[in-house]
């Protein structure tokens, strides 16, 4: 019955199609195409805009401070007279907090992803995943306050002499914040591994754990790498937690128990009005921003190449 | 009436008419590798395999044929308890592995142990994202074998057994994905052989391959049956007649006819079998 009525309706529809596309449709199509193009182009325009502002303002900064001094100096004291602009302490603070965060987020995130993808019953997975993603919906200022007023005092119970401001506490909290980024994307990647892969492994007599680690994980490696890289970028760029709880003290140290300032925290500090607008100190935040941008760029490019290398072929 | 549904309607109406000739082979119990007895299998409420009783001859090739959805793959996957991976599945009946009389479907038997003795080669080549060497070594590694020399020897034997050694001996450390489809499928066979299984299950192993690669796999099956028992599901009638010693024809989850391949293809006793073999349906 359904087919008969469809046949009756058929010729009419074809008649309309044969008459060609109406002018109104043509205009709408053209407008949509333009709108889509503009949307795509805007992202490029914004990136170029941000980059040019950064470079322009940094140029003003580098007119006063040599690039060599900036990149190799071990002291960062913009308020001093004469000011010292050695970015290394800030880079160091950024890398240490990032490392602490990743040491939490990558193992925990990966294990969660494996559990959700390989072990959890379907219904549990559908509940747990969104709940986990809520972790990233918590405002970072809340996390920062949590690091400062709960995690650090808690850590002080175990690490005697731990200063109230340190990199460990905010680093750990940042790690918790990043877990959902790592676990959610990794889980997506593992879930997308075709069942035939798993069956191949189970068919050899492998256990669930062996299948998950030796077959599913490497099969999903490209997606998992992407998840890790996103986590790294997120940690490098995280501002509020470290600004609140890490101490805003540019110290060149690899010891996470020490207070330090990250690039982002410094930018916040200066933007908040610590240094007069237009001064070299103020311009230094653009140079610092440029360094941060380059760092995340390096990680993104690296991630892109890894992704290409471990591209899934199934 | 819409044409598309006529086939399934036909199938529905034929359902009560299947005359089961059943097993026309009386096999000496000492020559069987596995005895399938009154096997029923359910996906939830769906009785996908119905009351199957077939002897699987030792070191022979048994082919399972039948139209799509007749339950032949489902039946094959009972042999290594593959259905245990999915919820809402249920077996009934027995598959007795000879000569020790182990019931593969018994709840007391660990499916991992079953799969170590009954390997499987899948429809689509599914090498792991590892090197050629590690793919073949996989079964040994998951059994906790660490002896490097032993593993290397087993890998070589398995690759030779799968007629892949000459092509791969100089690039064992290269990713398995670099191999062609036919080579990948032979790699999967090598992987299955490396653990020295007693039975190897082939689930339409050549349906994704070109005729030349298919020929190689068929030749390989011929050689393998000298030391292993093989059960193969195939859609290809010529393949069944070329490689198998016994053939079971299934339809709608039931066994219609089971006979020596020669006899079945020359003079099928059941009209349904004849129709299927000659290609008038399915």
């Amino acid at each position: 019955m359904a087919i008969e009525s469809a046949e009756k309706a058929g010729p009419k529809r074809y008649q309309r199609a044969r008459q060609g596309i109406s002018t109104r449709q043509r205009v709408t199509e053209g407008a949509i195409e333009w709108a889509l193009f503009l949307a795509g182009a805007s992202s490029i325009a914004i990136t170029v805009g941000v980059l040019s502002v950064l470079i322009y303002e940094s140029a003003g900064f580098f007119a006063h401070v040599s690039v060599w001094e900036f990149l190799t100096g071990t002291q960062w004291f913009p308020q001093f007279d004469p000011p010292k602009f050695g970015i290394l302490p800030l880079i160091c603070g950024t890398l240490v907090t990032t490392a602490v965060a990743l040491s939490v987020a990558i193992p925990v995130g990966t294990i969660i992803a494996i559990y959700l993808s390989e072990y959890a019953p379907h219904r549990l997975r559908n509940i747990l995943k969104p709940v986990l993603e809520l972790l990233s919906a918590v405002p970072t200022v809340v996390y920062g306050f949590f690091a400062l007023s709960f995690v650090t005092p808690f850590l002080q119970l175990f690490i005697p002499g731990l200063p109230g401001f340190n990199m460990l506490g905010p680093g750990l909290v940042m790690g918790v914040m990043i877990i959902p980024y790592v676990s959610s994307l990794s889980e997506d990647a593992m879930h997308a591994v075709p069942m035939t892969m798993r069956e191949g492994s189970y068919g050899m007599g492998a256990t669930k754990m062996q299948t998950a680690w030796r077959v599913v994980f490497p099969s999903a490696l490209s997606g998992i790498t992407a998840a890790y890289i996103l986590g790294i970028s997120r940690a490098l760029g995280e501002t509020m937690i470290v600004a609140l709880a890490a101490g805003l003290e540019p110290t060149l140290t690899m010891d996470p128990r020490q207070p330090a300032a990250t690039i982002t925290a410094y930018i916040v500090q200066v933007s908040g009005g610590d240094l007069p607008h237009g001064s070299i100190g103020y311009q230094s935040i653009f140079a610092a921003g440029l360094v941060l941008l380059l760092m995340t760029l390096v990680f993104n490019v690296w991630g892109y190449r890894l992704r290409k290398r471990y591209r899934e072929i199934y | 009436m819409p044409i598309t549904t006529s086939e399934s309607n036909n199938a529905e109406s034929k359902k009560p008419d299947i005359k089961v000739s059943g097993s026309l082979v009386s096999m000496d119990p000492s020559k069987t590798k596995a005895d399938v007895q009154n096997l029923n299998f359910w996906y939830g409420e769906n009785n996908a395999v119905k009351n199957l009783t077939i002897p699987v001859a030792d070191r022979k090739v048994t082919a399972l044929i039948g139209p799509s959805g007749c339950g032949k793959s489902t039946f094959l996957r009972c042999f290594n308890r593959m259905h245990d991976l999915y919820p809402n599945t249920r077996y009934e009946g027995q598959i007795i592995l000879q000569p020790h009389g182990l019931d593969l479907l018994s709840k007391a038997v660990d499916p991992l142990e079953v799969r170590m003795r009954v390997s499987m080669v899948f429809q689509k080549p599914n090498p792991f994202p590892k090197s050629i060497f590690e793919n073949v070594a996989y079964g040994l590694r998951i059994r906790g074998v660490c002896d490097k020399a032993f593993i290397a020897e087993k890998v070589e034997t398995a690759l030779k057994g799968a007629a892949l050694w000459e092509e791969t001996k100089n690039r064992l450390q290269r990713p398995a994905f670099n191999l062609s489809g036919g080579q990948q499928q032979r790699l999967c066979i090598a992987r299955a052989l490396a653990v020295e299984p007693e039975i190897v299950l082939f689930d339409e192993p050549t349906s994704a391959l070109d005729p030349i690669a298919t020929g190689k796999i068929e030749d390989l099956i011929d050689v393998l049956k000298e030391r292993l028992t093989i059960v193969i599901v195939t859609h290809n009638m010529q393949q069944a007649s070329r490689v198998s010693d016994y053939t079971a024809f299934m339809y709608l989850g039931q066994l219609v006819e089971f006979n020596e391949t020669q006899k079945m293809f020359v003079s099928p006793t059941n009209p349904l079998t004849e129709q299927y073999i000659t290609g008038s349906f399915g």
Side-chain angles (χ1 to χ4, degrees), chain A residues 82-169:
Chain A
K84 302 255 190 211
F85 291 106
I87 190 88
L88 282 181
L90 295 185
I91 290 182
C92 194
T94 305
L95 291 180
V96 171
T97 48
T98 300
V100 172
L102 294 178
S103 70
V104 174
I106 286 184
V108 177
T110 309
I111 291 168
I112 290 176
I114 288 181
Y115 172 73
L116 287 181
S117 157
E118 304 301 308
Y119 287 84
H122 197 69
R123 277 176 60 193
L124 187 66
R125 169 180 177 267
N126 288 351
I127 298 168
L128 272 184
K129 222 181 153 192
V131 169
L132 197 66
E133 278 160 15
L134 276 182
L135 271 183
S136 57
V138 176
T140 53
V141 65
V142 175
Y143 274 123
F145 203 70
F146 177 66
L148 184 65
S149 61
F150 178 77
V151 177
T152 294
F154 181 72
L155 288 172
Q156 279 166 337
L157 297 177
F158 304 98
I159 308 170
L162 184 74
F165 290 114
N166 60 72
M167 293 188 276
L168 192 59

Side-chain angles (χ1 to χ4, degrees), chain B residues 97-146:
Chain B
L97 189 67
Q98 301 297 3
H100 299 293
L102 176 78
D103 178 13
L104 296 179
L105 300 181
S106 156
K107 288 257 186 302
V109 175
D110 187 350
L112 293 188
E113 194 202 325
V114 173
R115 292 177 201 140
M116 288 187 181
R117 300 173 68 170
V118 183
S119 276
M120 187 162 185
V121 175
F122 296 82
Q123 188 169 358
K124 212 180 137 206
N126 57 351
F128 302 140
K130 298 172 184 294
S131 67
I132 294 169
F133 184 92
E134 283 305 321
N135 259 281
V136 183
Y138 186 78
L140 299 168
R141 294 235 192 265
I142 58 173
R143 283 159 178 74
V145 179
C146 299

